[in-house]
Every structure is written in C-alpha cells, then in structure tokens.
Amino acid sequence: MAASIITKFSHFHYLKCGFISPLNINFVRGIKKHWDPKWRKERGEKVIKINLPDYDEMRKDAQLPANEIRLKMKEKGIAPPRGWSERPVVISSTGGIFEPYLPPEGDGKLSTLSLAGTKQKMEFLQKKGKSYMNMKKIRDFDENFDAHDFAVKAQDIYIDVHKYLAERNKDKLHELVTEKCFPEMTMLINEKTVRWKFIESLSIPRVVQIRCTDVISKENIFGQVTVRFHSKQTLAVYDRFGRLMQGSEVMPKDVLEYVVFENHLSNQYGAWRIHGKIIPDWLPPKEPIARTYFKPDMKEPPPPPGTPKSAEEKSEKSAELAPA
C-alpha cells in the first residue's frame, strides 16, 4: 500500500518538479473511518437520519383539490386523517340527571282535599320507599344527613346561586353549582343585566326524591337529591341598551321549581351543589322575549313608469279608457 502511494506521488512530483522528495509526501487517512473502531456501532446509533419535508411539494399540494390529495396519499400509503371529536371529562360531577323526578301535572294548584290532590299524595308516598333506601346509602358517608334539614340548607344555596348569578360572581358560582350546571346558567347572560329578588316561600321546601349511583367503580358513588321550591320572586332581564327584555322588578310571580342537588359522596371534601333543573313536559310555553333590533332606513322604491302619481291622474286615465 505504502509502495503504491509512493509510486503514485513520485510520478506526480517527477512530472511537476523533475525530482522526488520523500518529505513532500503526506499520508491521509480515510475521513469516514474513526481511529478507534471499538465503539463503532454505538457511534452509528447516536446519529438519527431525518427526512426533511419538501416544502415545494407541500406548497403545490395545498392548491390541489380534495380528490387529488386523496389519490396522492393513497399512492404513498398514508392513511387519511381522522376527525377527532374529544370532550372534556370531569370526575367531580356527573354529566346528567339519573332517574329524573316526574312532577305531577297541576302540582302547586291542586288542593290536597280534592280527588286529584289526594291521588298525587298517594303516588308520592309510593315512591318514598326507594328514596328512603337511597338515603341510607348517603348516611353511610354523612351520618348527620336529614331530608328536612337538607331542604332548608338547599333553599339557602338556591338563593345564593341566583344572587351571585345576578352579580356575575363566577368564583362563588363554581363553589355552589356543578361543572354541568355552570355553562347552562351563564351562557345567555352575556351583555345583559339581571335583577333577581327572593320575596318569600309559599310552601316549605321539601325533598321529593333521593337517588344514588356509582360511576366506573362501585366505590365511586354520587348522590342526587331533588328539592321542590314554591316561592314568590321577581326577575327582570335588561339588554345591553338598558331596555327590558323579560319580567318585571315590581310585579312578583309565583315560581314552582324542582332543583336537583348533587354531591360526590366518595370525595371527603364533596359538597352539595346545584346540578340542574327538572322541567316537566306539561309546563306551558314561556313568554316570548321582547328583543331590540336596529330598524334600517329603507327608502320606498320608485314607482314603475306609467303609474299615476295622484288620484286626479288616476281618474283622468280611467276617464280616457272609458268607452264613449
């Protein structure tokens, strides 16, 4: 090897200079080889080959129609992208009301002395047995739970929630309503002013249904309690221009509501919060909201040619057309 290199370089120097000098010969090792071949495999593994994107091709593909893009992806063996519809998961509350209470038709209007009122009372007593069994499950986590005391506590939560909603205090609302109920309450109050006032209770709030269920595992238990509220309130909603949209601050109304409260019983720091409201099918439709719109300045279109401009011209034209 060395002899062949010397012969090669000697021929080069002999042609250029006419003589050969061994001092002018430089032995150069191959660049691709390392001087220590011991860690050759490890040195090769620490280098990652990256396929850089072809930006010119990407720019051309962006202008292609969808069917041609699909054909190019099929040629390259690339699967089409999937449309993911992801939803947030909340573990501190459920996503709905399980076994919703069915309010009897005419509740709050029928007297208990009438035939229909007595029938409603009997149906309520029949459903009370299942609620009592679920109340025993709640007492496994909260020994001091009592339906009558809870109804009074629930009314205080109900009043505070509506007060904080009118004040737009979202921090306090998060403490008193669940993650399902919060967007439902605050969705339609943007750029609006709410005036709400609780006047009095027409009847004592009472618990009408208690239910418990487990989610994912049997140890993860949620409890839901439906409370009946019959009260007198005032509600007025104003738009962003200060015009009244619905209700009145002066005229109170009788309100009958069935509000569901939920608690994550398995959580040591769980609290009772408003989870939703039950709206029966027999409820009459709400009053339409008086909305404010901008009236455009529309000019009347000019009359077509040949139309009379006044009554005199119209009578003259009819007289001309009349037979002699």
Side-chain angles (χ1 to χ4, degrees):
M1 180 71 181
S4 62
I5 292 172
I6 293 170
T7 308
K8 185 178 179 181
F9 275 86
S10 65
H11 179 68
F12 173 79
H13 283 280
Y14 179 76
L15 291 174
K16 289 285 184 180
C17 309
F19 67 95
I20 183 170
S21 174
L23 298 175
N24 295 331
I25 299 172
N26 295 325
F27 295 94
V28 180
R29 181 178 292 275
I31 302 171
K32 295 182 180 180
K33 293 184 179 180
H34 194 268
W35 63 273
D36 186 7
K38 184 179 179 181
W39 309 106
R40 181 180 178 183
K41 183 182 177 183
E42 285 73 12
R43 284 195 300 271
E45 289 178 350
K46 72 178 183 180
V47 179
I48 302 174
K49 293 183 179 180
I50 301 173
N51 295 325
L52 296 175
D54 189 355
Y55 293 103
D56 292 333
E57 187 179 359
M58 291 170 64
R59 201 178 297 111
K60 292 176 184 177
D61 292 347
Q63 300 175 357
L64 294 175
N67 55 349
E68 293 187 14
I69 293 173
R70 198 178 296 112
L71 288 173
K72 288 194 77 173
M73 293 175 69
K74 195 172 182 180
E75 290 174 2
K76 296 178 181 179
I78 304 172
R82 304 175 73 182
W84 297 99
S85 57
E86 298 178 353
R87 295 182 61 187
V89 178
V90 180
I91 61 173
S92 59
S93 66
T94 58
I97 301 171
F98 42 87
E99 295 186 37
Y101 176 75
L102 298 175
E105 189 172 355
D107 188 14
K109 298 179 181 179
L110 299 175
S111 174
T112 53
L113 300 176
S114 62
L115 181 63
T118 309
K119 189 177 179 181
Q120 287 182 7
K121 195 72 176 176
M122 292 299 295
E123 290 177 357
F124 174 71
L125 292 173
Q126 289 174 2
K127 296 177 182 178
K128 200 171 182 180
K130 194 172 182 180
S131 296
Y132 181 75
M133 297 297 293
N134 285 273
M135 186 168 65
K136 291 178 70 176
K137 288 184 181 180
I138 295 177
R139 284 179 176 169
D140 292 341
F141 298 92
D142 185 8
E143 297 178 357
N144 300 322
F145 180 82
D146 183 71
H148 300 286
D149 296 341
F150 177 78
V152 178
K153 179 185 176 183
Q155 187 176 20
D156 297 336
I157 297 173
Y158 174 82
I159 295 171
D160 291 340
V161 164
H162 286 80
K163 183 179 69 175
Y164 294 139
L165 181 66
E167 296 174 358
R168 297 175 182 269
N169 193 339
K170 294 185 178 181
D171 295 332
K172 292 289 185 180
L173 274 177
H174 275 295
E175 297 177 5
L176 298 177
V177 300
T178 60
E179 287 75 14
K180 170 193 170 293
C181 184
F182 181 82
E184 295 176 357
M185 293 187 69
T186 58
M187 182 174 57
L188 299 176
I189 64 168
N190 293 331
E191 299 181 353
K192 295 180 182 66
T193 304
V194 181
R195 295 281 184 265
W196 181 86
K197 186 179 179 182
F198 182 86
I199 298 174
E200 62 176 349
S201 284
L202 298 177
S203 62
I204 299 172
R206 58 184 173 89
V207 175
V208 293
Q209 181 174 280
I210 301 172
R211 292 292 181 269
C212 293
T213 188
D214 54 273
V215 179
I216 300 175
S217 63
K218 292 186 177 180
E219 292 79 16
N220 192 30
I221 298 176
F222 288 86
Q224 290 185 356
V225 179
T226 306
V227 185
R228 177 185 181 274
F229 295 112
H230 193 197
S231 59
K232 187 174 286 187
Q233 309 171 8
T234 58
L235 174 66
V237 182
Y238 298 90
D239 62 4
R240 58 178 179 169
F241 303 107
R243 300 185 181 95
L244 183 65
M245 294 178 63
Q246 193 176 25
S248 172
E249 292 189 59
V250 182
M251 295 178 60
K253 285 191 175 183
D254 298 348
V255 181
L256 178 64
E257 289 182 315
Y258 293 88
V259 184
V260 180
F261 292 80
E262 186 182 83
N263 187 4
H264 190 190
L265 300 173
S266 300
N267 186 6
Q268 184 180 358
Y269 304 101
W272 289 101
R273 299 183 294 173
I274 292 180
H275 189 62
K277 188 189 295 183
I278 295 174
I279 300 173
D281 298 332
W282 49 264
L283 196 70
K286 294 182 180 180
E287 298 178 3
I289 297 174
R291 298 184 181 275
T292 304
Y293 297 97
F294 176 75
K295 185 178 179 181
D297 187 13
M298 297 181 64
K299 297 181 180 179
E300 294 184 2
T307 38
K309 297 182 180 179
S310 61
E312 296 178 359
E313 293 182 5
K314 194 181 290 184
S315 60
E316 289 176 3
K317 193 171 183 180
S318 59
E320 290 175 3
L321 297 174

